[in-house]
Amino acid sequence: MADTEATQQKPETTQNEQTTTQDDGTTNDVEAQSPVVDTKMDDAKAEAKDDSKDDDPKKGAPAVVPYKGDEIKRWESLNNILTRGSESFAPPMFDVEEEVIKIIQEDSRVLVVGAGGLGCEILKNLALSGFKDIEVIDLDTIELSNLNRQFLFRKKDIGKPKAKCAAEFVMNRVPGCEIKWYQTKIQDFPASFYRKFNCVIAGLDNIEARRWLNAMLCDLVEKDDDGELDPDTIIPFIDGGTEGFLGQARLFVPMMTACFECSVGTITPPKAFQSCTIASIPRRPEHCIAYAHKIQWRRLKWLKTATNYEMETNENAPDVDGVQLDKDDVEHMSW
């Protein structure tokens, strides 16, 4: 008798699919994704070439990599924070739900401005808190003096972009976290670039950049037909700063709380400049004077006049300190 049972054939797995095993022993076919981290500013400009609001706020985001197996256990400790209410640390509007970690991982995009002393800590903490969609902007390159406190960098990274090295280090240590990096000025991006983020965190070393960023986020706030603020257009701005052993962090909610500009008059002038700013990207006349005083003067072998002097030309040689600065000497101050 002929066999009448129909033989069921399992469909072949395509090259774009892979089989994963769940904790309960079942298997699911999920689409394999190869996340690509875009490191070029041109791509960001292309995706935000006009100031119109995108229908899809996640457009252009890195591919979401689903966690599986033991990787899920990595986030269990976060439930102690995200599923418990707190009168001291959480505002009344905070939703205590088990889905909070999912919202953080899949629906949140954070922009970090600055990848220096504060930026390294911010990127590390965001990645270890479950955030997977992060972008970072920093104009500076790594200097030897950065290595004592900016722990994401190593000696081999000297001369490389801070944003690039910080992003690569974090992604290597926290699989599944995707970070785009940019080495350019924040003013080079259009408004639509900033509109796609849920939060902006700044670890900057100058007031001008903070004021510009604050103004941009305030300008993005829109009102609905009733004249009320549209909450979907409000992007919280977290600003931090350090000087020596002192530091502060503040939260600004554009058009709802006092903004950064409201308190700019209370900020005291900086007592010193960051050495990486002075050596790499001097932005003000004061930076150039500090560069000549703190860095170049130490390399003088001798000086007779402001135009007749000799300097150590080997950059790897130790400081000569051949001329003691006399601030009452016209030739010294002219040099």
Side-chain angles (χ1 to χ4, degrees):
M1 181 183 294
D3 188 1
T4 59
E5 293 182 0
T7 302
Q8 296 182 353
Q9 295 183 352
K10 184 178 179 180
E12 295 181 357
T13 302
T14 64
Q15 292 182 351
N16 293 328
E17 296 180 346
Q18 63 181 7
T19 301
T20 59
T21 303
Q22 307 298 319
D23 294 338
D24 58 2
T26 62
T27 59
N28 289 331
D29 290 333
V30 298
E31 184 177 358
Q33 301 179 8
S34 300
V36 177
V37 180
D38 182 8
T39 62
K40 296 182 179 179
M41 183 186 135
D42 292 341
D43 294 341
K45 287 185 175 181
E47 111 182 8
K49 58 185 177 181
D50 56 38
D51 289 343
S52 60
K53 185 185 298 184
D54 293 332
D55 294 333
D56 181 11
K58 295 287 289 182
K59 182 179 180 181
V64 175
V65 180
Y67 290 123
K68 56 185 178 181
D70 294 338
E71 292 182 349
I72 298 177
K73 298 180 180 179
R74 182 174 54 182
W75 311 109
E76 289 180 350
S77 60
L78 293 176
N79 292 329
N80 296 332
I81 300 175
L82 301 177
T83 60
R84 297 179 183 177
S86 172
E87 296 181 358
S88 302
F89 298 102
M93 63 190 74
F94 177 71
D95 292 330
V96 182
E97 300 176 353
E98 294 184 357
E99 283 80 20
V100 174
I101 184 63
K102 182 179 179 181
I103 295 174
I104 288 176
Q105 293 179 345
E106 297 182 4
D107 300 325
S108 298
R109 175 185 280 182
V110 181
L111 174 65
V112 178
V113 185
L118 274 180
C120 287
E121 289 283 355
I122 294 169
L123 290 170
K124 179 261 294 181
N125 290 340
L126 287 174
L128 293 180
S129 298
F131 289 91
K132 300 170 58 180
D133 191 353
I134 306 170
E135 300 189 21
V136 59
I137 303 174
D138 196 294
L139 192 60
D140 292 341
T141 56
I142 300 169
E143 300 286 335
L144 178 62
S145 60
N146 301 147
L147 303 185
N148 67 332
R149 65 192 184 281
Q150 299 175 21
F151 58 91
L152 298 182
F153 310 137
R154 299 295 182 264
K155 192 172 182 179
K156 62 181 178 61
D157 298 326
I158 293 176
K160 298 179 182 179
K162 286 186 177 181
K164 176 179 184 293
C165 294
E168 291 177 349
F169 191 101
V170 172
M171 288 190 293
N172 183 57
R173 292 295 295 270
V174 186
C177 178
E178 296 298 331
I179 304 177
K180 291 183 180 181
W181 64 271
Y182 309 93
Q183 186 188 18
T184 187
K185 296 179 180 180
I186 57 175
Q187 295 88 344
D188 292 340
F189 294 96
S192 52
F193 171 81
Y194 294 97
R195 187 179 286 123
K196 64 186 180 182
F197 297 101
N198 302 101
C199 180
V200 175
I201 307 177
L204 293 162
D205 60 359
N206 66 91
I207 303 300
E208 290 78 7
R210 289 182 170 95
R211 298 180 70 173
W212 188 92
L213 194 58
N214 173 79
M216 169 60 72
L217 297 179
C218 288
D219 290 342
L220 292 179
V221 179
E222 300 177 357
K223 294 184 178 181
D224 56 24
D225 296 336
D226 298 328
E228 300 293 333
L229 296 178
D230 183 357
D232 292 335
T233 64
I234 298 175
I235 304 174
F237 175 33
I238 302 174
D239 174 66
T242 62
E243 184 171 359
F245 292 105
L246 303 177
Q248 68 174 12
R250 295 182 291 175
L251 168 65
F252 303 102
V253 183
M255 307 305 290
M256 293 186 66
T257 67
C259 68
F260 181 83
E261 196 70 30
C262 297
S263 61
V264 72
T266 64
I267 300 174
T268 57
K271 298 178 181 179
F273 303 106
Q274 298 292 337
S275 59
C276 55
T277 299
I278 295 173
S280 301
I281 310 174
R283 292 183 283 265
R284 296 159 55 183
E286 300 93 311
H287 294 165
C288 299
I289 296 173
Y291 177 74
H293 179 206
K294 298 294 185 181
I295 299 177
Q296 292 294 81
W297 185 267
R298 297 175 180 177
R299 310 193 70 79
L300 278 172
K301 293 182 177 181
W302 53 263
L303 182 145
K304 295 181 180 180
T305 68
T307 57
N308 185 13
Y309 59 89
E310 182 181 354
M311 297 186 65
E312 173 61 59
T313 57
N314 184 4
E315 295 183 356
N316 296 322
D319 293 337
V320 178
D321 290 327
V323 181
Q324 184 167 352
L325 179 64
D326 182 0
K327 295 183 179 180
D328 294 324
D329 190 314
V330 176
E331 296 296 339
H332 286 195
M333 299 310 294
S334 298
W335 186 91

